[in-house]
Amino acid sequence: MGAFLKQNHFLVGISIDGDEELHDYYRKTKAGRGSYRQVIEGLRVLQRHQVETNVLTVIQNHNGGHGRRVYQHLKSLGVQFIQFIPIVEPEKGKGVSSRSVSDIQFGQFMIDVFEAWREADIGKIFISHFDNALGMSLGMPSNICVHSPQCGDNIVMEHNGDVYSCDHFVYPEFKLGNLKQKDYPDLIETPIQQQFSTRKPIGSQLHCMRCDQRDLCNGACPAQRINDEGELAIDAKHVLCAGYYAFFSHLRPYLRAMGECVRRNIPATYYQKFL
């Protein structure tokens, strides 16, 4: 399988939520046992065949207080590209589920990871949140939909051909059609998708206009605007707002310094000269 993936130029995402104890807390097999060892076997196959691989790490309530521990473990596995994904699940009548990461947890997790990363791994390990923030601070568009000013460009297709507005909105009201019945351009131009693209700006205008981190955050993902009743709501404040604010505020001076390195065409590892 590894050889096939390599020969056909696959980019593989593999989910690892930290070391064995942290990963296995939620990621169980059908038999109820932890899946960590199987996942690592799969990672080793990918590494042996030099398959392009991104590690996807979910941040939830259990590992949310262990940013440095999670990062150091991923580093020890030899991974080079990491995406951190905060989990916020709506729960009817309660707001969000008990396993959702809190705003304070999330912000500190990302700060702890950044501090561990900048000690020795700039230019060696690539973390999507950091790379994207640096690019945006230099005037580039976000390459992550979460921090784009507007949604609607990342539709998702299910195994049966059904297409939805986004992989965070796989609900009947956001179904655009089926690829077996409609061409791709026709799906994009549906009234459902056109209306969907307005959701994020509306939420941002209500809550983010005066925020001094708006240029990096852009209101984050609208799927995490959840009201106290556990319902997706455009007018609700983003559940992780305080966490994003703390994270981007912490990053800001380092982004300015690294940006100066980029402008002078010198490695970002020299950022401390410009702090």
PDB file of all heavy atoms in Angstrom, residues 68 71-72 75 80 82 84 110-127 130-131 134 251 254-255 258 268 271:
ATOM      1  N   ARG A  68       2.687  21.360  24.801  1.00  0.00           N
ATOM      2  CA  ARG A  68       4.109  21.045  24.635  1.00  0.00           C
ATOM      3  C   ARG A  68       4.320  19.534  24.595  1.00  0.00           C
ATOM      4  O   ARG A  68       5.110  19.042  23.781  1.00  0.00           O
ATOM      5  CB  ARG A  68       4.921  21.668  25.768  1.00  0.00           C
ATOM      6  CG  ARG A  68       6.421  21.392  25.679  1.00  0.00           C
ATOM      7  CD  ARG A  68       7.180  22.146  26.763  1.00  0.00           C
ATOM      8  NE  ARG A  68       7.299  23.557  26.445  1.00  0.00           N
ATOM      9  CZ  ARG A  68       8.354  24.084  25.822  1.00  0.00           C
ATOM     10  NH1 ARG A  68       9.372  23.315  25.445  1.00  0.00           N
ATOM     11  NH2 ARG A  68       8.397  25.385  25.586  1.00  0.00           N
ATOM     12  N   TYR A  71       3.236  18.228  21.170  1.00  0.00           N
ATOM     13  CA  TYR A  71       4.175  18.624  20.117  1.00  0.00           C
ATOM     14  C   TYR A  71       5.474  17.829  20.199  1.00  0.00           C
ATOM     15  O   TYR A  71       5.972  17.340  19.172  1.00  0.00           O
ATOM     16  CB  TYR A  71       4.473  20.122  20.204  1.00  0.00           C
ATOM     17  CG  TYR A  71       5.552  20.543  19.231  1.00  0.00           C
ATOM     18  CD1 TYR A  71       5.279  20.631  17.867  1.00  0.00           C
ATOM     19  CD2 TYR A  71       6.848  20.802  19.660  1.00  0.00           C
ATOM     20  CE1 TYR A  71       6.274  20.975  16.960  1.00  0.00           C
ATOM     21  CE2 TYR A  71       7.842  21.155  18.764  1.00  0.00           C
ATOM     22  CZ  TYR A  71       7.549  21.240  17.419  1.00  0.00           C
ATOM     23  OH  TYR A  71       8.532  21.577  16.522  1.00  0.00           O
ATOM     24  N   GLN A  72       6.028  17.713  21.382  1.00  0.00           N
ATOM     25  CA  GLN A  72       7.294  17.000  21.523  1.00  0.00           C
ATOM     26  C   GLN A  72       7.157  15.542  21.118  1.00  0.00           C
ATOM     27  O   GLN A  72       8.078  14.951  20.550  1.00  0.00           O
ATOM     28  CB  GLN A  72       7.811  17.108  22.969  1.00  0.00           C
ATOM     29  CG  GLN A  72       8.186  18.514  23.406  1.00  0.00           C
ATOM     30  CD  GLN A  72       9.418  19.065  22.696  1.00  0.00           C
ATOM     31  OE1 GLN A  72       9.968  18.455  21.783  1.00  0.00           O
ATOM     32  NE2 GLN A  72       9.856  20.244  23.094  1.00  0.00           N
ATOM     33  N   LYS A  75       7.059  15.402  17.321  1.00  0.00           N
ATOM     34  CA  LYS A  75       8.435  15.623  16.852  1.00  0.00           C
ATOM     35  C   LYS A  75       9.265  14.346  16.983  1.00  0.00           C
ATOM     36  O   LYS A  75      10.038  13.997  16.082  1.00  0.00           O
ATOM     37  CB  LYS A  75       9.066  16.761  17.658  1.00  0.00           C
ATOM     38  CG  LYS A  75      10.507  17.063  17.302  1.00  0.00           C
ATOM     39  CD  LYS A  75      11.047  18.199  18.168  1.00  0.00           C
ATOM     40  CE  LYS A  75      12.525  18.454  17.898  1.00  0.00           C
ATOM     41  NZ  LYS A  75      13.046  19.574  18.731  1.00  0.00           N
ATOM     42  N   GLN A  80       6.885  16.006  10.005  1.00  0.00           N
ATOM     43  CA  GLN A  80       7.381  17.316   9.562  1.00  0.00           C
ATOM     44  C   GLN A  80       6.265  18.320   9.324  1.00  0.00           C
ATOM     45  O   GLN A  80       6.486  19.519   9.441  1.00  0.00           O
ATOM     46  CB  GLN A  80       8.197  17.146   8.276  1.00  0.00           C
ATOM     47  CG  GLN A  80       9.008  18.363   7.893  1.00  0.00           C
ATOM     48  CD  GLN A  80       9.897  18.107   6.697  1.00  0.00           C
ATOM     49  OE1 GLN A  80       9.773  17.095   5.996  1.00  0.00           O
ATOM     50  NE2 GLN A  80      10.814  19.032   6.433  1.00  0.00           N
ATOM     51  N   ILE A  82       2.311  19.420  10.376  1.00  0.00           N
ATOM     52  CA  ILE A  82       1.303  19.205  11.420  1.00  0.00           C
ATOM     53  C   ILE A  82       0.171  20.212  11.264  1.00  0.00           C
ATOM     54  O   ILE A  82       0.410  21.406  11.057  1.00  0.00           O
ATOM     55  CB  ILE A  82       1.917  19.356  12.830  1.00  0.00           C
ATOM     56  CG1 ILE A  82       3.135  18.442  13.002  1.00  0.00           C
ATOM     57  CG2 ILE A  82       0.865  19.042  13.893  1.00  0.00           C
ATOM     58  CD1 ILE A  82       3.919  18.697  14.280  1.00  0.00           C
ATOM     59  N   PHE A  84      -3.184  21.373  13.517  1.00  0.00           N
ATOM     60  CA  PHE A  84      -3.927  21.261  14.770  1.00  0.00           C
ATOM     61  C   PHE A  84      -5.372  21.684  14.531  1.00  0.00           C
ATOM     62  O   PHE A  84      -5.638  22.743  13.957  1.00  0.00           O
ATOM     63  CB  PHE A  84      -3.290  22.126  15.852  1.00  0.00           C
ATOM     64  CG  PHE A  84      -1.958  21.602  16.326  1.00  0.00           C
ATOM     65  CD1 PHE A  84      -0.779  22.231  15.958  1.00  0.00           C
ATOM     66  CD2 PHE A  84      -1.890  20.474  17.134  1.00  0.00           C
ATOM     67  CE1 PHE A  84       0.444  21.748  16.383  1.00  0.00           C
ATOM     68  CE2 PHE A  84      -0.666  19.985  17.564  1.00  0.00           C
ATOM     69  CZ  PHE A  84       0.509  20.624  17.193  1.00  0.00           C
ATOM     70  N   MET A 110      -1.986  26.295  21.858  1.00  0.00           N
ATOM     71  CA  MET A 110      -1.283  26.793  20.682  1.00  0.00           C
ATOM     72  C   MET A 110      -0.069  27.642  21.063  1.00  0.00           C
ATOM     73  O   MET A 110       0.971  27.591  20.395  1.00  0.00           O
ATOM     74  CB  MET A 110      -2.244  27.593  19.798  1.00  0.00           C
ATOM     75  CG  MET A 110      -3.356  26.771  19.165  1.00  0.00           C
ATOM     76  SD  MET A 110      -2.763  25.350  18.202  1.00  0.00           S
ATOM     77  CE  MET A 110      -1.754  26.152  16.957  1.00  0.00           C
ATOM     78  N   ILE A 111      -0.172  28.395  22.132  1.00  0.00           N
ATOM     79  CA  ILE A 111       0.977  29.169  22.605  1.00  0.00           C
ATOM     80  C   ILE A 111       2.099  28.241  23.058  1.00  0.00           C
ATOM     81  O   ILE A 111       3.273  28.453  22.730  1.00  0.00           O
ATOM     82  CB  ILE A 111       0.553  30.111  23.760  1.00  0.00           C
ATOM     83  CG1 ILE A 111      -0.344  31.228  23.217  1.00  0.00           C
ATOM     84  CG2 ILE A 111       1.776  30.693  24.460  1.00  0.00           C
ATOM     85  CD1 ILE A 111      -1.009  32.070  24.297  1.00  0.00           C
ATOM     86  N   ASP A 112       1.742  27.194  23.792  1.00  0.00           N
ATOM     87  CA  ASP A 112       2.756  26.247  24.269  1.00  0.00           C
ATOM     88  C   ASP A 112       3.439  25.531  23.100  1.00  0.00           C
ATOM     89  O   ASP A 112       4.655  25.306  23.131  1.00  0.00           O
ATOM     90  CB  ASP A 112       2.113  25.220  25.213  1.00  0.00           C
ATOM     91  CG  ASP A 112       1.698  25.831  26.548  1.00  0.00           C
ATOM     92  OD1 ASP A 112       2.132  26.964  26.845  1.00  0.00           O
ATOM     93  OD2 ASP A 112       0.927  25.184  27.281  1.00  0.00           O
ATOM     94  N   VAL A 113       2.666  25.161  22.093  1.00  0.00           N
ATOM     95  CA  VAL A 113       3.249  24.528  20.912  1.00  0.00           C
ATOM     96  C   VAL A 113       4.188  25.505  20.202  1.00  0.00           C
ATOM     97  O   VAL A 113       5.309  25.141  19.817  1.00  0.00           O
ATOM     98  CB  VAL A 113       2.148  24.047  19.942  1.00  0.00           C
ATOM     99  CG1 VAL A 113       2.756  23.608  18.606  1.00  0.00           C
ATOM    100  CG2 VAL A 113       1.365  22.891  20.544  1.00  0.00           C
ATOM    101  N   PHE A 114       3.733  26.740  20.061  1.00  0.00           N
ATOM    102  CA  PHE A 114       4.576  27.735  19.384  1.00  0.00           C
ATOM    103  C   PHE A 114       5.896  27.943  20.123  1.00  0.00           C
ATOM    104  O   PHE A 114       6.964  28.012  19.497  1.00  0.00           O
ATOM    105  CB  PHE A 114       3.826  29.074  19.281  1.00  0.00           C
ATOM    106  CG  PHE A 114       4.641  30.154  18.629  1.00  0.00           C
ATOM    107  CD1 PHE A 114       4.791  30.184  17.253  1.00  0.00           C
ATOM    108  CD2 PHE A 114       5.271  31.129  19.391  1.00  0.00           C
ATOM    109  CE1 PHE A 114       5.555  31.169  16.637  1.00  0.00           C
ATOM    110  CE2 PHE A 114       6.043  32.121  18.791  1.00  0.00           C
ATOM    111  CZ  PHE A 114       6.179  32.144  17.414  1.00  0.00           C
ATOM    112  N   GLU A 115       5.840  28.027  21.434  1.00  0.00           N
ATOM    113  CA  GLU A 115       7.060  28.238  22.220  1.00  0.00           C
ATOM    114  C   GLU A 115       8.014  27.057  22.076  1.00  0.00           C
ATOM    115  O   GLU A 115       9.234  27.248  21.966  1.00  0.00           O
ATOM    116  CB  GLU A 115       6.702  28.475  23.688  1.00  0.00           C
ATOM    117  CG  GLU A 115       6.097  29.838  23.954  1.00  0.00           C
ATOM    118  CD  GLU A 115       7.055  30.970  23.580  1.00  0.00           C
ATOM    119  OE1 GLU A 115       8.213  30.950  24.037  1.00  0.00           O
ATOM    120  OE2 GLU A 115       6.646  31.866  22.815  1.00  0.00           O
ATOM    121  N   ALA A 116       7.472  25.846  22.061  1.00  0.00           N
ATOM    122  CA  ALA A 116       8.321  24.662  21.874  1.00  0.00           C
ATOM    123  C   ALA A 116       8.909  24.641  20.467  1.00  0.00           C
ATOM    124  O   ALA A 116      10.092  24.309  20.282  1.00  0.00           O
ATOM    125  CB  ALA A 116       7.510  23.401  22.135  1.00  0.00           C
ATOM    126  N   TRP A 117       8.104  25.020  19.488  1.00  0.00           N
ATOM    127  CA  TRP A 117       8.543  25.009  18.085  1.00  0.00           C
ATOM    128  C   TRP A 117       9.639  26.030  17.823  1.00  0.00           C
ATOM    129  O   TRP A 117      10.631  25.740  17.154  1.00  0.00           O
ATOM    130  CB  TRP A 117       7.327  25.270  17.201  1.00  0.00           C
ATOM    131  CG  TRP A 117       7.620  25.481  15.753  1.00  0.00           C
ATOM    132  CD1 TRP A 117       7.894  24.533  14.815  1.00  0.00           C
ATOM    133  CD2 TRP A 117       7.639  26.744  15.068  1.00  0.00           C
ATOM    134  NE1 TRP A 117       8.083  25.117  13.583  1.00  0.00           N
ATOM    135  CE2 TRP A 117       7.934  26.476  13.715  1.00  0.00           C
ATOM    136  CE3 TRP A 117       7.426  28.064  15.471  1.00  0.00           C
ATOM    137  CZ2 TRP A 117       8.022  27.483  12.762  1.00  0.00           C
ATOM    138  CZ3 TRP A 117       7.517  29.075  14.529  1.00  0.00           C
ATOM    139  CH2 TRP A 117       7.820  28.776  13.196  1.00  0.00           C
ATOM    140  N   ARG A 118       9.492  27.232  18.365  1.00  0.00           N
ATOM    141  CA  ARG A 118      10.459  28.283  18.040  1.00  0.00           C
ATOM    142  C   ARG A 118      11.805  28.079  18.736  1.00  0.00           C
ATOM    143  O   ARG A 118      12.797  28.689  18.356  1.00  0.00           O
ATOM    144  CB  ARG A 118       9.891  29.664  18.362  1.00  0.00           C
ATOM    145  CG  ARG A 118       9.869  30.075  19.828  1.00  0.00           C
ATOM    146  CD  ARG A 118       9.305  31.477  19.961  1.00  0.00           C
ATOM    147  NE  ARG A 118       9.309  31.924  21.350  1.00  0.00           N
ATOM    148  CZ  ARG A 118      10.320  32.575  21.935  1.00  0.00           C
ATOM    149  NH1 ARG A 118      11.401  32.861  21.230  1.00  0.00           N
ATOM    150  NH2 ARG A 118      10.245  32.939  23.212  1.00  0.00           N
ATOM    151  N   GLU A 119      11.851  27.188  19.716  1.00  0.00           N
ATOM    152  CA  GLU A 119      13.119  26.919  20.398  1.00  0.00           C
ATOM    153  C   GLU A 119      14.148  26.277  19.469  1.00  0.00           C
ATOM    154  O   GLU A 119      15.335  26.559  19.579  1.00  0.00           O
ATOM    155  CB  GLU A 119      12.880  26.007  21.609  1.00  0.00           C
ATOM    156  CG  GLU A 119      12.171  26.691  22.762  1.00  0.00           C
ATOM    157  CD  GLU A 119      11.773  25.716  23.858  1.00  0.00           C
ATOM    158  OE1 GLU A 119      12.106  24.499  23.731  1.00  0.00           O
ATOM    159  OE2 GLU A 119      11.121  26.139  24.836  1.00  0.00           O
ATOM    160  N   ALA A 120      13.688  25.394  18.574  1.00  0.00           N
ATOM    161  CA  ALA A 120      14.675  24.661  17.771  1.00  0.00           C
ATOM    162  C   ALA A 120      14.183  24.195  16.410  1.00  0.00           C
ATOM    163  O   ALA A 120      14.961  23.621  15.650  1.00  0.00           O
ATOM    164  CB  ALA A 120      15.166  23.444  18.559  1.00  0.00           C
ATOM    165  N   ASP A 121      12.916  24.452  16.071  1.00  0.00           N
ATOM    166  CA  ASP A 121      12.344  23.774  14.907  1.00  0.00           C
ATOM    167  C   ASP A 121      11.871  24.681  13.783  1.00  0.00           C
ATOM    168  O   ASP A 121      11.219  24.212  12.840  1.00  0.00           O
ATOM    169  CB  ASP A 121      11.183  22.879  15.362  1.00  0.00           C
ATOM    170  CG  ASP A 121      11.642  21.810  16.338  1.00  0.00           C
ATOM    171  OD1 ASP A 121      12.764  21.303  16.164  1.00  0.00           O
ATOM    172  OD2 ASP A 121      10.892  21.506  17.284  1.00  0.00           O
ATOM    173  N   ILE A 122      12.176  25.961  13.831  1.00  0.00           N
ATOM    174  CA  ILE A 122      11.804  26.856  12.738  1.00  0.00           C
ATOM    175  C   ILE A 122      12.519  26.408  11.462  1.00  0.00           C
ATOM    176  O   ILE A 122      13.728  26.207  11.453  1.00  0.00           O
ATOM    177  CB  ILE A 122      12.179  28.316  13.066  1.00  0.00           C
ATOM    178  CG1 ILE A 122      11.388  28.803  14.284  1.00  0.00           C
ATOM    179  CG2 ILE A 122      11.922  29.224  11.867  1.00  0.00           C
ATOM    180  CD1 ILE A 122      11.808  30.178  14.774  1.00  0.00           C
ATOM    181  N   GLY A 123      11.751  26.216  10.406  1.00  0.00           N
ATOM    182  CA  GLY A 123      12.325  25.759   9.148  1.00  0.00           C
ATOM    183  C   GLY A 123      12.534  24.263   9.057  1.00  0.00           C
ATOM    184  O   GLY A 123      12.962  23.756   8.015  1.00  0.00           O
ATOM    185  N   LYS A 124      12.235  23.554  10.150  1.00  0.00           N
ATOM    186  CA  LYS A 124      12.399  22.096  10.162  1.00  0.00           C
ATOM    187  C   LYS A 124      11.045  21.383  10.240  1.00  0.00           C
ATOM    188  O   LYS A 124      10.842  20.352   9.602  1.00  0.00           O
ATOM    189  CB  LYS A 124      13.263  21.670  11.350  1.00  0.00           C
ATOM    190  CG  LYS A 124      14.670  22.262  11.340  1.00  0.00           C
ATOM    191  CD  LYS A 124      15.414  21.873  12.612  1.00  0.00           C
ATOM    192  CE  LYS A 124      16.802  22.506  12.662  1.00  0.00           C
ATOM    193  NZ  LYS A 124      17.507  22.201  13.933  1.00  0.00           N
ATOM    194  N   ILE A 125      10.168  21.925  11.069  1.00  0.00           N
ATOM    195  CA  ILE A 125       8.821  21.381  11.224  1.00  0.00           C
ATOM    196  C   ILE A 125       7.840  22.489  10.846  1.00  0.00           C
ATOM    197  O   ILE A 125       8.027  23.649  11.239  1.00  0.00           O
ATOM    198  CB  ILE A 125       8.583  20.887  12.659  1.00  0.00           C
ATOM    199  CG1 ILE A 125       9.502  19.693  12.953  1.00  0.00           C
ATOM    200  CG2 ILE A 125       7.120  20.493  12.873  1.00  0.00           C
ATOM    201  CD1 ILE A 125       9.418  19.176  14.381  1.00  0.00           C
ATOM    202  N   PHE A 126       6.809  22.126  10.086  1.00  0.00           N
ATOM    203  CA  PHE A 126       5.904  23.128   9.533  1.00  0.00           C
ATOM    204  C   PHE A 126       4.499  22.915  10.104  1.00  0.00           C
ATOM    205  O   PHE A 126       3.914  21.839   9.960  1.00  0.00           O
ATOM    206  CB  PHE A 126       5.910  23.050   8.013  1.00  0.00           C
ATOM    207  CG  PHE A 126       7.290  23.265   7.444  1.00  0.00           C
ATOM    208  CD1 PHE A 126       8.146  22.180   7.241  1.00  0.00           C
ATOM    209  CD2 PHE A 126       7.752  24.535   7.169  1.00  0.00           C
ATOM    210  CE1 PHE A 126       9.430  22.372   6.748  1.00  0.00           C
ATOM    211  CE2 PHE A 126       9.036  24.742   6.682  1.00  0.00           C
ATOM    212  CZ  PHE A 126       9.874  23.656   6.473  1.00  0.00           C
ATOM    213  N   ILE A 127       4.014  23.942  10.766  1.00  0.00           N
ATOM    214  CA  ILE A 127       2.713  23.884  11.430  1.00  0.00           C
ATOM    215  C   ILE A 127       1.795  24.872  10.733  1.00  0.00           C
ATOM    216  O   ILE A 127       2.098  26.066  10.635  1.00  0.00           O
ATOM    217  CB  ILE A 127       2.860  24.199  12.926  1.00  0.00           C
ATOM    218  CG1 ILE A 127       3.758  23.118  13.576  1.00  0.00           C
ATOM    219  CG2 ILE A 127       1.502  24.257  13.613  1.00  0.00           C
ATOM    220  CD1 ILE A 127       4.145  23.403  15.006  1.00  0.00           C
ATOM    221  N   PHE A 130       0.954  28.399  12.076  1.00  0.00           N
ATOM    222  CA  PHE A 130       2.067  29.356  12.133  1.00  0.00           C
ATOM    223  C   PHE A 130       2.430  29.857  10.741  1.00  0.00           C
ATOM    224  O   PHE A 130       2.622  31.055  10.530  1.00  0.00           O
ATOM    225  CB  PHE A 130       3.290  28.719  12.792  1.00  0.00           C
ATOM    226  CG  PHE A 130       3.038  28.115  14.153  1.00  0.00           C
ATOM    227  CD1 PHE A 130       3.918  27.193  14.694  1.00  0.00           C
ATOM    228  CD2 PHE A 130       1.924  28.462  14.898  1.00  0.00           C
ATOM    229  CE1 PHE A 130       3.701  26.642  15.938  1.00  0.00           C
ATOM    230  CE2 PHE A 130       1.679  27.906  16.156  1.00  0.00           C
ATOM    231  CZ  PHE A 130       2.573  26.988  16.669  1.00  0.00           C
ATOM    232  N   ASP A 131       2.525  28.936   9.797  1.00  0.00           N
ATOM    233  CA  ASP A 131       2.858  29.314   8.425  1.00  0.00           C
ATOM    234  C   ASP A 131       1.805  30.275   7.862  1.00  0.00           C
ATOM    235  O   ASP A 131       2.133  31.268   7.206  1.00  0.00           O
ATOM    236  CB  ASP A 131       2.936  28.081   7.527  1.00  0.00           C
ATOM    237  CG  ASP A 131       4.110  27.174   7.871  1.00  0.00           C
ATOM    238  OD1 ASP A 131       5.013  27.628   8.599  1.00  0.00           O
ATOM    239  OD2 ASP A 131       4.123  26.023   7.415  1.00  0.00           O
ATOM    240  N   LEU A 134       1.999  33.815   9.441  1.00  0.00           N
ATOM    241  CA  LEU A 134       3.121  34.583   8.919  1.00  0.00           C
ATOM    242  C   LEU A 134       2.793  35.120   7.530  1.00  0.00           C
ATOM    243  O   LEU A 134       3.038  36.300   7.228  1.00  0.00           O
ATOM    244  CB  LEU A 134       4.383  33.726   8.867  1.00  0.00           C
ATOM    245  CG  LEU A 134       5.635  34.408   8.290  1.00  0.00           C
ATOM    246  CD1 LEU A 134       5.988  35.662   9.086  1.00  0.00           C
ATOM    247  CD2 LEU A 134       6.816  33.428   8.263  1.00  0.00           C
ATOM    248  N   LEU A 251       1.525  35.685  19.179  1.00  0.00           N
ATOM    249  CA  LEU A 251       2.302  35.535  17.951  1.00  0.00           C
ATOM    250  C   LEU A 251       2.774  36.861  17.367  1.00  0.00           C
ATOM    251  O   LEU A 251       3.825  36.926  16.727  1.00  0.00           O
ATOM    252  CB  LEU A 251       1.453  34.823  16.886  1.00  0.00           C
ATOM    253  CG  LEU A 251       1.839  33.388  16.511  1.00  0.00           C
ATOM    254  CD1 LEU A 251       1.790  32.484  17.716  1.00  0.00           C
ATOM    255  CD2 LEU A 251       0.944  32.871  15.393  1.00  0.00           C
ATOM    256  N   TYR A 254       6.429  38.104  17.173  1.00  0.00           N
ATOM    257  CA  TYR A 254       7.275  37.138  16.459  1.00  0.00           C
ATOM    258  C   TYR A 254       7.000  37.173  14.962  1.00  0.00           C
ATOM    259  O   TYR A 254       7.918  37.025  14.147  1.00  0.00           O
ATOM    260  CB  TYR A 254       7.058  35.738  17.022  1.00  0.00           C
ATOM    261  CG  TYR A 254       7.407  35.627  18.480  1.00  0.00           C
ATOM    262  CD1 TYR A 254       6.409  35.611  19.460  1.00  0.00           C
ATOM    263  CD2 TYR A 254       8.733  35.566  18.893  1.00  0.00           C
ATOM    264  CE1 TYR A 254       6.720  35.527  20.796  1.00  0.00           C
ATOM    265  CE2 TYR A 254       9.063  35.477  20.247  1.00  0.00           C
ATOM    266  CZ  TYR A 254       8.046  35.464  21.194  1.00  0.00           C
ATOM    267  OH  TYR A 254       8.373  35.384  22.529  1.00  0.00           O
ATOM    268  N   LEU A 255       5.743  37.390  14.594  1.00  0.00           N
ATOM    269  CA  LEU A 255       5.409  37.501  13.177  1.00  0.00           C
ATOM    270  C   LEU A 255       6.074  38.730  12.566  1.00  0.00           C
ATOM    271  O   LEU A 255       6.573  38.683  11.437  1.00  0.00           O
ATOM    272  CB  LEU A 255       3.887  37.578  12.990  1.00  0.00           C
ATOM    273  CG  LEU A 255       3.086  36.342  13.403  1.00  0.00           C
ATOM    274  CD1 LEU A 255       1.601  36.600  13.220  1.00  0.00           C
ATOM    275  CD2 LEU A 255       3.514  35.107  12.615  1.00  0.00           C
ATOM    276  N   MET A 258       9.805  37.785  12.224  1.00  0.00           N
ATOM    277  CA  MET A 258      10.032  36.823  11.145  1.00  0.00           C
ATOM    278  C   MET A 258       9.732  37.447   9.791  1.00  0.00           C
ATOM    279  O   MET A 258      10.406  37.158   8.797  1.00  0.00           O
ATOM    280  CB  MET A 258       9.171  35.577  11.365  1.00  0.00           C
ATOM    281  CG  MET A 258       9.602  34.753  12.550  1.00  0.00           C
ATOM    282  SD  MET A 258       8.539  33.297  12.800  1.00  0.00           S
ATOM    283  CE  MET A 258       9.198  32.671  14.355  1.00  0.00           C
ATOM    284  N   ALA A 268      14.350  32.748   8.720  1.00  0.00           N
ATOM    285  CA  ALA A 268      13.498  33.192   9.827  1.00  0.00           C
ATOM    286  C   ALA A 268      14.089  32.848  11.188  1.00  0.00           C
ATOM    287  O   ALA A 268      13.673  33.406  12.204  1.00  0.00           O
ATOM    288  CB  ALA A 268      12.110  32.571   9.691  1.00  0.00           C
ATOM    289  N   TYR A 271      15.119  35.637  13.628  1.00  0.00           N
ATOM    290  CA  TYR A 271      14.047  36.560  14.025  1.00  0.00           C
ATOM    291  C   TYR A 271      14.367  37.355  15.288  1.00  0.00           C
ATOM    292  O   TYR A 271      13.900  38.497  15.465  1.00  0.00           O
ATOM    293  CB  TYR A 271      12.733  35.800  14.224  1.00  0.00           C
ATOM    294  CG  TYR A 271      12.698  34.943  15.471  1.00  0.00           C
ATOM    295  CD1 TYR A 271      12.201  35.441  16.670  1.00  0.00           C
ATOM    296  CD2 TYR A 271      13.180  33.639  15.467  1.00  0.00           C
ATOM    297  CE1 TYR A 271      12.177  34.674  17.815  1.00  0.00           C
ATOM    298  CE2 TYR A 271      13.181  32.866  16.592  1.00  0.00           C
ATOM    299  CZ  TYR A 271      12.674  33.377  17.775  1.00  0.00           C
ATOM    300  OH  TYR A 271      12.681  32.626  18.916  1.00  0.00           O
TER     301      TYR A 271
END
